[in-house]
Amino acid sequence: HDFAEAIEDHLDKVAKARGYRNADRLASYVASGNSAWAGEAAAFATWRDAVWMYAHAQLAAAQTGQRTPPTVGGFVAELPVITWP
């Protein structure tokens, strides 16, 4: 639970740093008529998926002993980095 909460907080921080209220608000602009907002939302949604896919794979690897269990803070630091349009 700590990992999921930390990841959600990270997603929100990235969205806020781009000027949006939170991750959900940013993602909601994917169908915007404003091409800049739509592009940012599409990039964010793609990145958010990459973050969760990485998180699930790495946490499963830790549970099965394939990697050292990470700390929450350390794990957030190793998440993929977003590339904005």
Side-chain angles (χ1 to χ4, degrees):
H1 179 72
D2 290 336
F3 285 95
E5 188 174 318
I7 292 166
E8 290 289 345
D9 288 345
H10 179 65
L11 297 173
D12 282 338
K13 285 178 186 174
V14 170
K16 287 176 183 177
R18 196 69 178 185
Y20 295 88
R21 180 177 295 179
N22 57 37
D24 292 339
R25 183 63 59 97
L26 171 49
S28 75
Y29 281 90
V30 75
S32 175
N34 180 306
S35 62
W37 297 340
E40 288 181 342
F44 183 82
T46 298
W47 170 73
R48 179 187 58 192
D49 288 351
V51 165
W52 282 113
M53 288 187 294
Y54 179 85
H56 288 295
Q58 293 303 310
L59 292 174
Q63 290 175 340
T64 60
Q66 296 173 344
R67 71 165 282 176
T68 303
T71 63
V72 174
F75 190 69
V76 170
E78 71 183 62
L79 293 173
V81 176
I82 192 164
T83 300
W84 295 106

